[in-house]
Each structure stands twice: as C-alpha cells, then as structure tokens.
Amino acid sequence: QPSKDKNTEKAEPFYRLSVPKKKTSSEIINEARNVLRTLRTRRPFTPTEDQRKLFGSGSSRPPQNRPPSVFSLHASSFDLAESRPVSGVRLSPLDHKPVLVTSAKDEDSSISLPKPPADDAEVRKLSSARAHFFRRTSQGSFLSAKMVPPDQNEEKVDSEEPAMMNNLCRSNNNCLAEKRSYTPFNDESRQFICNEHISRSEKEDSLKGTAGKFLFQLRGESDQMKKPGTSSAWPRSPGWKRRLTGAEDETRINESEEEEIFWHIKILPILHELEKEDNIENLCLACTKLYQALNEGNMLGKRFKRRSVLLKILYKLVDVDSDPLRLKLAKILLAMKVDGKNLLGVCKLAFKICRNEKNDYIIQNDGLLDCLLEVLRTEDLQKNNEALLYCMGAIKFMSGNAVLLNEMVNKGAAEMLLQLMKQINKVKENDTYFSNLGHVLVQLTATLRNLADLPPARCQLVCNGAVSELCVALEQRMNDKEVCTSIVRIFSKLSSYSDFCAALADCSRCYILFLALLNKHQKQQDLVIRIIFILGNLTEKNNQAREQFFKERGSVNTLISLFQTYHELDLNAQKRYHGRGREEKNHPKHPSEAEDVLIKLIRVLANLSIHPSVGAALAAAHRIVELLVTVLEYKSVDDCEELVINAATTINNLSYYKMKSSAVQDKKLHIAEMLLKLLMSNNMDGVVEAVRVFGNLSQYHEICDFIMQKKIYKFMIALLDAKNQDVCFSACGVLLNLTVDKNKRALLMEEGGIGKLVDCLQDFGPADWQLACLICKTLWNYSENITSAASCFGEDTNTLLVLLTSLLDEEVALDYSLDTDLRDYHKLYWEKEFKPVAEKLLHRMQSHQSCLPAATITPF
C-alpha cells in the first residue's frame, strides 16, 4: 500500500510497512542517515616552491615576458638627481653680499673645519667614499661640495640647491648671526639679533653630549618668545613683537635654525661614522641610530632640506654585501619617500632581502613590513607598477613566514590588498599598464592565499567583499592562466569554510566563470581540479547552488566532456603501466592527476543528484551513467579506492530515481555484475557501498533473482555479524526487499539469518531506532504466513518476545541520561517509526503462541 506522502515515500528506498509517519519526523531522521549522500574529498595539494620567486616553476609566462626574480643591484642603480628635496625653488643669486664672520673668536672651536685642498690634483686623490663631501655649499658645512678659503669674504648661493638663507651658514654660531642679518628689521631688531649670541661655554656643553638638552632649550625659548609676558633666557629688544607678528618667513627661519642645529649635532656625526666605518655590525647600529635621529628631528619624508646629501651616502652603502645592513638601508630609504627610479631600486632591495628565507628572523625584528605596506597604500599604481611588483613580491615572501603572516593580519593587510585589487580591476584590457599589473596581481593573490589560512583574515576577506572582487579579476584575466590559477586556489581554500562558501554560492556570476575556465583550460589539470573541487564544495550542502549550476548553459555537457577527457587519460596511463609489466604492488598508492580529477568530478555529480529535478535529469543522462559504470569496469578498488567508491555512491544516488527514462534502470543487471566484483573485495568501505547500491536495485525483481542466483543473500546474512551499524543497516535493507517475494523468505532460515537479525536488534536497537525499525519490517515480511511463533522463529522466539516487550517499554528503551535535544530526537523516532512496527510484530507473535491461524497482510 503506497503512502500518500510522496516525499516520505522517496525518503526510503526499501519496501516499507504502511505505518503512520509525520513528515517532520522523516525530515529530521534523514539528517542522520540519508539515502542520497553527498561526498567529501581532500583539497588539491599545492606544494611549496623550493625557491622564493616572483613566479613559480610552473609559470605560464615565458621568461622573456616576465620581470626577473634575480638581478644585480648597486649604488649606480639609484638616481642621485631624484634625491633633491621637492620643496626647493631655484632663485637668482642674491644681490646682497652678506658679511661673513670669520674671526677666530667667533668660530666654533669645538668643530674642526676641513682645510681646502691645495690644488685640483689633491682633490682627485681623495677616495670615492669621501669625495662627495666636497660640494658647493658654505664653508662651515660638514658635507661641503666645494671648499672655500677661510679668508674669502663672498659666497654665492648654490643654484642647484633650494635657495634658502640657511645655506649660507658657516657654523652653529655664524648661522644664527648671518640669518638674522638678512632680515630687513629696524635697527633695534638688528641690535637685538647681534646680541643674541650664545656663550662659548653653552655651545661647548651642547656639542659635548648635551645636544638633546640644548635643542629642547632652544625650542622652549622659541615658544616663550612667541608669548608676551613670558621670560626668556635670551635678551630682547623693544622691537621683538614687531619681528614676530605676522612674520611667516621668520617662523620658517626659526624652524630652519632648529633643523640646522639638529643636523650638525645629531645627524652629521652618524653620517661621518657611516663614511668611515668598515665593521658591518657597527654600520647596522649607525643606521639604527640614524633612523631614530631622523624620526626624532621630523626629517623623514621629502621635505627635509639636506635630503640629497643623506640619500647619496645611503645609496653608496648599498654596495656593501650585507643583508642586515641593506635591511636597515631599505627601511630608511622607504621612510624618506623616495620615488621614481629610486623607489624601484629600494623595492628591489627589499625583494632581494625577503627572497632569502634565512632573513625572515631579522625582518621580524624590524619595521620593513610597515614601510612596504605604506608603499602599497600611497604610491601611484600605474606610475610605479614595477616598483609595486617587487614590493608586493617582498610581501608575498613575508607571508610565507607564520610570524610575519600574523603580523600582516594584525595590520589589516587583507583589507589593504583588496583595496589594491579594486584599483587594478579598474584598469581595462586595452590600457597600457594592463599586462604589467597582471604581474602584480599574481603576487597579490598568492599573498591573499597565504592570509586565508588565518581565521581573522578570512573574516576580513568575507566582510570586505573579496568574492566579488576576485570574480571581477577572474573575468578580466581569463586569458592569463597564472592569475586564474592563483585566484582559483584562493577559492579552493576558502570554499572549504561554510561562511565563504555561502558568499560564493550567492555570487551567481561565479558559475559562468568556472564553466568558461573549464572549457578554455580543459587540459590544465592544476586549474581544472581546483575548479571542480570548488563546485563540489558549493553543491555539497546548498540546494540552490545545485539548481543554479545545473541550469547554466552547457554545465552538464562540460562535466561530460571533462569526464571523457580525463577518463581517456587515466585509461591510457593504466595501459602503459600494465604494458611495462610491472607488478601490482609497485602501483602508485596515491591517485594520479587524472584519477584525482575524476574523483572530484564524480563528487560533483553525486552532490548534484541530491536535488530532485537535477538528480532525475542526471539519472536519465545515459552518457553519465555509462562513464560511471566504465569506472567500475576498468578500475579496481585496490587501484584507486576513492574513485571506485565515489562512482558506486553516485550510481546509488541515481538509482534512487525510478522512472522509465532512467539509464540506471536500463543498465541495472550490468551494474549488478560490476558491483559483485566490489562486493567480493577486501575493502570494507567498498563492500558497504556495493551493498547500498544493491539495497536500491533489489527493488527490481531481476536484481532479486540475480542476488539469489549468485548467492549474494548469503553474503548479506554474513554481514549482519559485522558489528557495524551502517553495514548491518545496508545488509538488512537488501534482506527486507528479498522477503517481499514469498518464494524467497525461506532464505532467512539459512546461515542462521533469524538469529543474526535478533542479535542486531539486541546490540543496536536502543542506539539506532532506524535500524531496529528495519529489522522489525524484515521479520514482519518473513512471518506473513505464520502458523506458530515457535515454528516460524525457532529457538530465537522467546528471546525476540522478551526483547520486543523491553524495547516497547518507554522507561527501559529510552536513555534519560542523554541531553534534552538528543533524548527528544530518540523519542521522536522511537514513537513514530519503531513502536508501530514493533507493536504489530509482537502482537502477531503473541497471538500465534497457541497455534491459531494468522491473518494475511499484504507486504511492501
């Protein structure tokens, strides 16, 4: 008697008793043991590259069309012209001729001024490390470009440097005096300036270790001078207010004075140390002190007046073959905001440092990551695309280190990289920079893939719309296999997590893109296998994703085409293997590349078949069923366990749909023959899967006859001793279907079948009411023509009576030690599934203990 509830009827493949059952109960139970099952598999393995490179060993880019990972880098790689400060404006030489203070008493005796060279020949003899000190600046500058005799009274402003008045300084003392002499103040002001000399003792103290205190005092006094009514250590004149009121130039002069003093006191000694020092450790220490001093003096960036002098010294140190030193240099140069050729040079420098995995430890203890992230955040993408490539490459290398990877996440690198990807995605294919930015995208996506290993980064990616941006990049770069593979690897990793998988499933465009890639790169195994894996993840738990993918134009044909392609590759490989006469024990244990694709592709088919309409359509697709059966024909479970079992599971799912157009129904006998080979194997997982398929197919009379003819029923009875719930459940299902036929019921008397069913009920009943229900159904069918309980059930009669009575007692049957949800679940199934069948069976047995005739009930 068929059930009126079609959904309930479909939920169970075996013949059933007409027992009242709520749909909600069936839905809940099917969560625990569903007839149609999805498949899981391992994520494709991506081996770590032996060497750190911009592009991996399997890169599709020809060497001549991609930037190099190995290159030489020297001081000559940097552009000295770019090092000039950006704020400088070239001015005409001043008509005013300043009066230089050259008397010995006014000179700063604590600073020894360099002597001028005797002639040009002497200049040429100077070493290259020191020659850059001779430039066209004032006599008192420590790094002067051109030396001027002390008695020379006239100095020209260097037209190549910014024309600022403090370039005319001779010493700390002269600097203060001269600059004030140029300001067109009244006589009182000029008198005040002339009196503003710091005593020799104060200067000596300052220059002998109290630089910080002096600078603090100077700044404090400057602040005091701006506030009327505050006392100052410096003398004032009645015109001091007029000097400060509305005088922007004077403010700049005061700032320049502080910078000048700070330069001489703090920076110059370190630069001299860098010029003279040969010990690497001391050079590194000096660079650390230099960075700290520049930061303290607010001299980092492009606005620093003496930036060119500093950069030229740093560029020369690049020639020193020491990664720790180069790391220090890279940090300072990036902080100085170099651009153009120099930005490219310093990014290459960082790239070379990070490329050596041994440098990871020293990078962890420095701030290079902050500097590189700042480059990504601020530099122009198109103008500096090559520099950004090497910057991004360095960050990619860093992401291979667990400590640095965590640091990236904490600094919000995932969100920052997504913003960069958005900028790249705005560049269209016909743009000049499109190809070069593809190189950057390879580094960027590889870094995102590493970041995806950490939960906080995954959360950032999901929350910041990573799915849509990655899909845009995938669509724009369809012809760039390397970019596509890198993005697909990200999806492959992230789709293993439910939140990201749900976000990807909601992006309807992804299915079209995946199908386009599969059709375009059908023989690119590394790309194909990951796309198939992603599709398997999408269709594993999402019914909407199953339907949406199936409805995409050409989706099934694409899967069939891939199946045929990789089936042929695998078949040819197997023929070559056997043709070489190798023994089976030497067969590779791991799946081959072709086998791995087939495993994951069959998984997609199995997952798709869960959807009612999709599953019915696939069951009617003869080519799909043929290919699945072919796998069982030529491949043994010992060759590739996962492939064979996946094929059997998919056939089982498709066999669930009973309709005239079913290809499984047309080939059911051939399928049964192939399953017999799997059933006789030593692989228990394979045996269980074969039994499951027989459970569905045994609803056909031809298959029942095949089972009897081949003595398969004896194997099913033997499996009841397996002490495994799933094995017993599947075997009992086949026996249930066999007992529908009156002529086949006697088989339970063979091999001790009744006793084994009773043992299973006793062993698993209270823990698995679904299995207990199935056993009672089988015994019910078997005992239809009962005349005596004792003659029907033999020596197991009393055991069965006691057991049924006990299991129908709610207090005894239900374990109240379980938590509330689990106890309610057990009670629901016990009440709606087991109890109605068990009560009828018990009543039949009790009513035939006195050998009274029994009423015949039509079996199902």
Side-chain angles (χ1 to χ4, degrees):
Q1 181 179 343
S3 170
K4 294 180 181 179
D5 191 336
K6 294 182 179 179
N7 291 330
T8 301
E9 184 178 3
K10 281 190 176 182
E12 192 172 356
F14 308 118
Y15 287 90
R16 301 171 293 108
L17 289 169
S18 179
V19 216
K21 180 166 61 173
K22 291 183 180 180
K23 182 179 178 181
T24 53
S25 170
S26 176
E27 290 173 351
I28 293 173
I29 299 309
N30 285 333
E31 292 291 330
R33 182 188 278 130
N34 208 325
V35 175
L36 303 183
R37 295 180 303 113
T38 57
L39 292 174
R40 291 177 175 270
T41 189
R42 298 180 299 273
R43 181 163 60 86
F45 174 67
T46 302
T48 305
E49 290 287 342
D50 294 334
Q51 294 181 331
R52 291 180 172 182
K53 300 178 182 178
L54 278 175
F55 306 97
S57 55
S59 176
S60 58
R61 285 165 161 74
Q64 65 273 17
N65 292 341
R66 65 189 187 202
S69 294
V70 180
F71 44 80
S72 59
L73 196 66
H74 306 287
S76 58
S77 305
F78 295 87
D79 182 11
L80 299 182
E82 187 274 330
S83 61
R84 302 190 184 284
V86 297
S87 59
V89 178
R90 296 184 180 183
L91 302 177
S92 302
L94 296 175
D95 294 332
H96 173 76
K97 297 182 179 180
V99 178
L100 302 179
V101 183
T102 57
S103 62
K105 65 179 181 180
D106 289 329
E107 293 290 346
D108 188 349
S109 60
S110 65
I111 302 177
S112 60
L113 298 176
K115 296 179 180 180
D119 51 34
D120 291 341
E122 187 177 344
V123 174
R124 287 193 295 271
K125 292 179 183 179
L126 293 172
S127 68
S128 59
R130 302 292 296 165
H132 72 280
F133 283 120
F134 298 91
R135 298 185 179 89
R136 292 168 301 182
T137 52
S138 61
Q139 176 185 347
S141 174
F142 271 67
L143 300 180
S144 54
K146 181 180 178 181
M147 301 309 299
V148 182
D151 58 350
Q152 185 173 332
N153 292 328
E154 186 172 271
E155 183 74 52
K156 291 184 179 180
V157 176
D158 182 3
S159 60
E160 292 298 315
E161 295 288 342
M164 300 181 69
M165 302 310 297
N166 57 0
N167 283 348
L168 300 174
C169 300
R170 301 301 188 277
S171 65
N172 292 340
N173 184 28
N174 294 343
C175 174
L176 294 174
E178 286 186 16
K179 286 185 179 180
R180 288 167 174 77
S181 68
Y182 301 150
T183 308
F185 295 147
N186 57 25
D187 293 341
E188 291 177 340
S189 295
R190 186 170 290 109
Q191 181 63 39
F192 168 71
I193 295 170
C194 293
N195 291 334
E196 282 183 348
H197 289 297
I198 303 173
S199 68
R200 179 179 300 275
S201 62
E202 284 178 322
K203 286 185 293 181
E204 288 177 352
D205 289 343
S206 298
L207 295 174
K208 291 179 181 178
T210 60
K213 181 178 177 181
F214 172 76
L215 189 61
F216 176 79
Q217 180 185 14
L218 178 62
R219 287 173 177 166
E221 288 164 348
S222 297
D223 291 340
Q224 287 178 344
M225 289 177 67
K226 297 175 185 177
K227 299 178 182 179
T230 56
S231 61
S232 171
W234 290 6
R236 293 179 182 165
S237 68
W240 72 275
K241 286 186 180 180
R242 289 193 302 274
R243 239 182 75 213
L244 294 175
T245 303
E248 271 186 31
D249 290 341
E250 180 60 22
T251 302
R252 267 198 308 274
I253 290 172
N254 288 337
E255 291 174 353
S256 183
E257 289 171 1
E258 292 185 14
E259 183 179 284
E260 189 79 18
I261 296 170
F262 193 91
W263 167 265
H264 283 285
I265 294 174
K266 283 293 190 75
I267 307 299
L268 274 180
I270 301 175
L271 295 184
H272 284 310
E273 186 179 347
L274 289 174
E275 285 288 325
K276 296 175 182 178
E277 186 60 62
D278 292 328
N279 182 274
I280 298 296
E281 188 175 344
N282 291 338
L283 284 172
C284 289
L285 184 61
C287 284
T288 301
K289 291 191 296 183
L290 177 61
Y291 181 87
Q292 293 171 347
L294 291 170
N295 189 43
E296 179 187 349
N298 196 27
M299 294 178 175
L300 297 174
K302 293 188 175 184
R303 297 289 174 180
F304 175 35
K305 180 168 67 78
R306 295 180 182 269
R307 184 169 177 268
S308 59
V309 177
L310 174 65
L311 292 178
K312 289 173 185 178
I313 294 174
L314 296 179
Y315 292 152
K316 288 188 175 183
L317 291 174
V318 172
D319 286 334
V320 180
D321 187 16
S322 167
D323 281 351
L325 176 60
R326 286 173 173 172
L327 176 61
K328 302 287 184 183
L329 294 173
K331 180 180 175 181
I332 299 174
L333 291 172
L334 287 171
M336 295 300 292
K337 305 294 184 184
V338 296
D339 56 18
K341 181 180 178 181
N342 293 338
L343 178 61
L344 173 59
V346 72
C347 286
K348 282 186 171 183
L349 186 63
F351 178 87
K352 285 175 70 75
I353 296 166
C354 297
R355 188 165 182 256
N356 188 345
E357 193 173 349
K358 296 179 180 178
N359 291 332
D360 284 355
Y361 180 74
I362 61 172
I363 294 172
Q364 291 172 22
N365 300 317
D366 217 306
L368 182 62
L369 177 59
D370 288 316
C371 296
L372 293 176
L373 291 176
E374 183 66 16
V375 170
L376 294 185
R377 186 165 41 233
T378 58
E379 293 298 334
D380 183 85
L381 181 64
Q382 298 186 12
K383 178 184 175 184
N384 298 310
N385 63 82
E386 189 178 359
L388 286 176
L389 169 67
Y390 286 101
C391 174
M392 195 66 248
I395 293 174
K396 179 185 73 173
F397 296 153
M398 288 184 185
S399 70
N401 178 278
V403 175
L404 292 170
L405 187 65
N406 276 285
E407 187 179 347
M408 286 184 192
V409 176
N410 295 334
K411 295 180 183 299
E415 185 176 355
M416 197 182 305
L417 294 181
L418 280 181
Q419 292 300 321
L420 181 61
M421 182 180 285
K422 287 181 181 179
Q423 295 180 45
I424 295 175
N425 287 343
K426 291 177 182 178
V427 179
K428 302 307 175 185
E429 190 170 0
N430 56 358
D431 195 289
T432 310
Y433 303 101
F434 184 82
S435 178
N436 290 340
L437 292 178
H439 302 324
V440 178
L441 206 52
V442 172
Q443 316 307 314
L444 191 155
T445 49
T447 309
L448 284 178
R449 189 174 72 249
N450 290 339
L451 285 168
D453 286 327
L454 302 180
R458 289 197 296 270
C459 182
Q460 290 176 23
L461 291 173
V462 174
C463 295
N464 288 283
V467 171
S468 59
E469 287 304 323
L470 288 167
C471 283
V472 170
L474 197 60
E475 186 170 7
Q476 289 184 349
R477 307 280 172 171
M478 192 69 69
N479 294 320
D480 191 333
K481 177 185 171 290
E482 200 156 356
V483 171
C484 291
T485 303
S486 190
I487 293 175
V488 164
R489 281 176 174 171
I490 297 173
F491 283 146
S492 173
K493 181 177 287 188
L494 291 177
S495 64
S496 301
Y497 301 93
S498 56
D499 53 349
F500 192 91
C501 193
L504 183 58
D506 290 338
C507 181
S508 58
R509 187 71 180 160
C510 75
Y511 304 104
I512 300 173
L513 293 174
F514 291 150
L515 286 170
L517 282 171
L518 288 174
N519 289 316
K520 187 177 183 66
H521 303 287
Q522 193 167 100
K523 292 190 177 181
Q524 301 293 333
Q525 189 269 352
D526 57 337
L527 184 60
V528 168
I529 193 172
R530 286 170 175 82
I531 297 175
I532 295 297
F533 175 75
I534 296 164
L535 290 174
N537 290 342
L538 291 172
T539 55
E540 184 178 351
K541 296 179 180 178
N542 193 321
N543 219 29
Q544 184 179 352
R546 295 168 188 146
E547 183 178 9
Q548 193 163 355
F549 174 76
F550 177 77
K551 287 183 176 180
E552 291 295 343
R553 184 178 178 182
S555 58
V556 175
N557 289 335
T558 299
L559 295 180
I560 292 174
S561 177
L562 286 170
F563 204 144
Q564 291 176 162
T565 299
Y566 284 90
H567 163 64
E568 290 171 4
L569 289 172
D570 185 42
L571 197 59
N572 293 334
Q574 185 163 306
K575 287 178 180 177
R576 288 194 301 270
Y577 170 76
H578 291 299
R580 288 194 293 266
R582 297 186 178 183
E583 296 180 3
E584 193 69 23
K585 63 181 181 181
N586 293 327
H587 194 282
K589 292 183 179 180
H590 297 289
S592 65
E593 290 185 349
E595 286 174 334
D596 210 7
V597 171
L598 291 174
I599 287 168
K600 290 166 175 58
L601 186 132
I602 292 174
R603 175 193 178 219
V604 174
L605 293 172
N607 293 350
L608 287 172
S609 65
I610 303 297
H611 191 284
S613 61
V614 176
L618 293 177
H622 284 258
R623 187 56 184 149
I624 287 179
V625 176
E626 287 173 4
L627 288 167
L628 290 170
V629 174
T630 304
V631 171
L632 297 181
E633 288 176 345
Y634 84 95
K635 187 75 69 174
S636 74
V637 73
D638 295 327
D639 288 340
C640 187
E641 176 183 338
E642 190 176 4
L643 176 58
V644 173
I645 292 176
N646 279 10
T649 301
T650 307
I651 290 173
N652 180 54
N653 284 0
L654 297 178
S655 68
Y656 176 75
Y657 300 97
K658 297 170 182 61
M659 51 195 180
K660 291 181 180 180
S661 59
S662 171
V664 176
Q665 185 174 338
D666 290 346
K667 300 179 183 299
K668 55 183 177 290
L669 280 174
H670 184 46
I671 292 172
E673 290 174 356
M674 294 301 103
L675 291 172
L676 185 57
K677 182 177 67 171
L678 183 58
L679 197 63
M680 296 298 116
S681 71
N682 293 323
N683 187 295
M684 183 52 69
D685 290 333
V687 169
V688 173
E689 205 56 56
V691 172
R692 285 193 179 113
V693 183
F694 272 118
N696 272 355
L697 294 181
S698 60
Q699 297 181 54
Y700 299 103
H701 294 295
E702 300 92 327
I703 299 301
C704 287
D705 293 340
F706 178 85
I707 291 173
M708 297 301 293
Q709 180 187 353
K710 300 292 184 181
K711 308 293 184 184
I712 296 174
Y713 69 90
K714 292 187 177 183
F715 193 80
M716 300 299 168
I717 293 174
L719 287 175
L720 295 176
D721 283 333
K723 303 302 180 184
N724 179 287
Q725 286 174 251
D726 286 336
V727 173
C728 291
F729 180 85
S730 300
C732 191
V734 176
L735 295 174
L736 169 61
N737 288 343
L738 290 174
T739 58
V740 171
D741 189 338
K742 295 179 181 180
N743 299 322
K744 296 180 175 66
R745 290 171 183 169
L747 64 88
L748 288 182
M749 297 301 292
E750 299 180 31
E751 310 295 334
I754 297 298
K756 291 180 180 180
L757 285 171
V758 173
D759 288 342
C760 279
L761 184 61
Q762 188 169 10
D763 292 340
F764 302 121
D768 190 343
W769 295 116
Q770 192 175 18
L771 173 57
C773 176
L774 203 58
I775 294 170
C776 289
K777 288 178 181 181
T778 305
L779 294 174
W780 174 266
N781 278 356
Y782 164 74
S783 63
E784 180 186 3
N785 296 322
I786 186 173
T787 56
S788 166
S791 62
C792 184
F793 296 102
E795 61 183 11
D796 298 298
T797 304
N798 290 333
T799 304
L800 182 57
L801 282 169
V802 173
L803 185 57
L804 287 173
T805 303
S806 176
L807 292 177
L808 286 169
D809 185 345
E810 183 177 342
E811 295 295 327
V812 176
L814 298 178
D815 185 359
Y816 282 88
S817 65
L818 300 172
D819 62 75
T820 304
D821 291 340
L822 192 57
R823 185 171 68 247
D824 290 344
Y825 164 79
H826 274 265
K827 183 177 181 180
L828 180 64
Y829 206 92
W830 178 82
E831 285 181 344
K832 303 303 179 183
E833 298 294 331
F834 170 76
K835 186 179 178 182
V837 185
E839 283 180 338
K840 286 189 176 184
L841 180 60
L842 179 61
H843 180 264
R844 172 180 281 180
M845 292 181 67
Q846 290 173 341
S847 64
H848 287 83
Q849 282 182 315
S850 57
C851 299
L852 295 175
T856 301
I857 298 179
T858 305
F860 286 84

